[in-house]
Amino acid sequence: MTPTTETMVGIGGAAESTDMVLNIGPQHPSTHGVLRLKLVLDGERIVRAEPVIGYMHRGAEKLFEARDYRQIIVLANRHDWLSAFSNELGVVLAVERMLGMEVPERAVWLRTLLAELNRVLNHLMFLGSYPLELGGITPIFYAFTEREKLQHVMEEVSGGRMHYMFNRVGGLKEDLPAGWTGRARAAVADVRSRMDRFDDLVLGNEIFRGRTRGVGALSAEAVHAYGVSGPIGRASGVDFDLRRDEPYLAYGELGDVLRVVTREEGDCLARFECLLEQTHNSLDLADACLDRLAELPPGPVNQRLPKVLKAPEGHTYAWTENPLGINGYYLVSKGEKTPYRLKLRSASYNNIQALTELLPGTLVADMVAILGSMFFVVGDIDK
C-alpha cells in the first residue's frame, strides 16, 4: 500500500486583514451613466474609493476652439444634458461680457424664466430617480408626469426637447409663440399642485428616511476643499448661491422671492431635502418672472449681430448657478471669430471628487444611497 501524506495549510488571521478591490461600473446600468468606482473593501466597509472618469470624454474644450461663437452653443448645452438651457446661458453671457453688449430687458426676464423652468426639470429627474435607486419605483412615474408638463412648454418655445439651442449672443433665438405665457403659467401651477407627492410619498416614507438619515455626511470643510457647490454644498451648511451673491440676469430684482435653501446635516437626506425645497422655490421664481413679463411692453428679444461675430482680444470668466452647482466658462479671445481658449468648470466634476472623502468608512450597502445623493450627470464630469 502506497503511503499517503496529508498537508494542512492554515492562513490564520491573514484572511481577515486582506483587502478586496471591487469595481462598480463602468457599465451604464450601474450608475448615472458611464462612471467607474474603484473601491477597496475591508469586509463590508469601504476603506478607499477612487472615481475613475473619462469614459464619455469628448474633448469639448478643444472643439470650442474650432467653432465660431454661434456654433459653440450646440456643444455647450450637451455636457449636462438635464440643464441644456443653463449651459448655453453661461457661454453667451461670457461672449456678451467680452463684447460689452447690453441685452434687451425682455430677453433678460425670459432667460431668467427659462433657466428656472430648466432647474425644475433637472431636479424632478433626481427627485424621481433617487428613490428608485433605494427601491421605491412609484416616484419616478410622478416625476416624469410633471416633467412632461414643463417639457411641452419648453419644447413649444424653443423647438428642442432636451437641447434647446434657444440662447443667442445678444438675447434669444426668437420671441414667444402667441399665448405661450398663459400655457407656461398653467404648467407651473399644475406641477406645483402635485409637488406634495414628493413631500409625502418620499420624505414621509420611514424606509427612505432610514436609508438616508445620517448616511454619507459631508462636512462644510470638505465642501470648501473640493469646490463642491449647488444643493450638495448647501446641504452641508455652505450658504452660497450665485443668484443671490453675484446676481446675474434678473435675479437682483427677485431677492424677495429667491430663497437659498440650506441644511446643516450634510447627509443624504439633507441633500434630497435641499433639492426638493429648491424645486418649490424655482416654481415661485418662474411665476414672478411671468408676472414681470406681463408688465413689460412688447419689444425685441435679441440684438442685431454682424454676419461674422468676433470677440475683442482679452479674457473673461462668466459663472452661473446651474441646477447642479456652479458652472463657469473662462473665455480667452485673440480677436478672431472662434475662441482662442474656452475652459469649462462644471458642477458635477468637482462634486464627484468628494466621493474619495465621503465613501471611506461607510458600508457597501450605503454606497448606492450616497452615490445617488450626489446628483451628478456623467457628461458634466467628462465634458
Side-chain angles (χ1 to χ4, degrees):
M1 182 176 179
T2 306
T4 59
T5 303
E6 290 184 1
T7 303
M8 183 176 292
V9 179
I11 57 173
E16 296 180 7
S17 62
T18 301
D19 290 336
M20 181 176 117
V21 178
L22 178 67
N23 280 293
I24 307 296
Q27 68 274 18
H28 190 283
S30 71
T31 63
H32 293 257
V34 191
L35 173 72
R36 177 185 168 205
L37 281 180
K38 186 179 178 182
L39 306 179
V40 177
L41 307 180
D42 181 7
E44 287 293 310
R45 203 162 290 277
I46 298 171
V47 178
R48 291 195 306 277
E50 179 190 354
V52 182
I53 65 173
Y55 292 95
M56 291 183 66
H57 179 60
R58 290 155 291 174
E61 290 170 328
K62 293 304 289 182
L63 292 173
F64 284 143
E65 299 171 17
R67 286 158 176 78
D68 66 34
Y69 290 106
R70 292 180 175 91
Q71 295 169 328
I72 59 176
I73 297 172
V74 76
L75 294 171
N77 70 15
R78 278 165 165 73
H79 56 88
D80 175 0
W81 46 75
L82 296 177
S83 310
F85 185 87
S86 302
N87 299 341
E88 301 170 9
L89 192 58
V91 168
V92 296
L93 288 176
V95 180
E96 287 162 5
R97 184 175 297 175
M98 291 282 284
L99 292 167
M101 181 180 288
E102 288 289 331
V103 176
E105 185 181 16
R106 186 170 168 79
V108 171
W109 281 96
L110 270 173
R111 280 177 171 179
T112 311
L113 166 63
L114 295 171
E116 290 306 312
L117 292 180
N118 194 194
R119 194 180 309 275
V120 176
L121 283 169
N122 175 289
H123 290 356
L124 280 171
M125 176 63 79
F126 290 107
L127 292 173
S129 67
Y130 185 46
L132 179 65
E133 289 162 1
L134 299 180
I137 193 172
T138 306
I140 193 72
F141 297 127
Y142 288 132
F144 268 88
T145 300
E146 307 315 319
R147 275 175 54 85
E148 281 302 308
K149 301 288 183 184
L150 297 176
Q151 284 284 180
H152 285 320
V153 294
M154 292 292 283
E155 187 174 3
E156 181 187 2
V157 74
S158 67
R161 182 165 177 82
M162 283 188 67
H163 305 300
Y164 304 108
M165 281 297 294
F166 197 53
N167 277 290
R168 294 291 187 273
V169 176
L172 295 168
K173 175 185 172 186
E174 57 197 7
D175 208 344
L176 304 174
W180 183 86
T181 53
R183 291 187 288 277
R185 192 182 293 276
V188 169
D190 209 5
V191 172
R192 180 188 286 107
S193 69
R194 288 194 288 268
M195 284 301 294
D196 59 347
R197 289 169 168 172
F198 299 98
D199 295 296
D200 301 334
L201 186 66
V202 182
L203 283 182
N205 186 297
E206 61 184 38
I207 299 174
F208 178 83
R209 298 184 77 86
R211 290 291 308 275
T212 56
R213 187 192 285 118
V215 174
L218 184 66
S219 67
E221 292 75 20
V223 168
H224 291 299
Y226 287 93
V228 174
S229 59
I232 300 168
R234 292 190 284 273
S236 296
V238 178
D239 187 6
F240 180 69
D241 190 313
L242 284 173
R243 296 174 297 172
R244 179 200 62 195
D245 301 326
E246 283 195 22
Y248 57 98
L249 296 182
Y251 289 114
E253 299 179 48
L254 292 169
D256 56 337
V257 184
L258 174 64
R259 287 185 297 106
V260 179
V261 183
T262 60
R263 293 289 187 275
E264 295 298 325
E265 298 81 2
D267 56 11
C268 295
L269 181 59
R271 290 190 278 272
F272 187 85
E273 287 176 342
C274 278
L275 200 74
L276 178 56
E277 200 170 326
Q278 189 168 286
T279 307
H280 284 284
N281 186 233
S282 288
L283 292 170
D284 295 338
L285 287 167
D287 270 340
C289 290
L290 286 165
D291 291 340
R292 182 71 175 114
L293 282 167
E295 299 169 0
L296 291 176
V301 294
N302 48 39
Q303 295 277 22
R304 189 174 181 86
L305 299 177
K307 188 173 183 181
V308 177
L309 180 64
K310 295 183 179 182
E313 189 168 348
H315 59 91
T316 190
Y317 182 69
W319 57 347
T320 57
E321 188 67 41
N322 262 35
L324 298 181
I326 293 173
N327 189 74
Y329 293 96
Y330 179 59
L331 171 62
V332 181
S333 171
K334 289 293 183 76
E336 301 297 328
K337 66 178 182 179
T338 61
Y340 177 69
R341 293 287 187 272
L342 188 56
K343 167 67 179 173
L344 166 60
R345 190 265 189 219
S346 63
S348 297
Y349 180 82
N350 282 70
N351 292 355
I352 207 66
Q353 308 307 318
L355 287 172
T356 58
E357 182 156 329
L358 197 53
L359 287 175
T362 62
L363 295 170
V364 176
D366 291 329
M367 184 270 300
V368 172
I370 297 169
L371 185 64
S373 73
M374 297 305 284
F375 309 133
F376 60 88
V377 171
V378 176
D380 205 37
I381 301 170
D382 293 341
K383 299 183 278 186

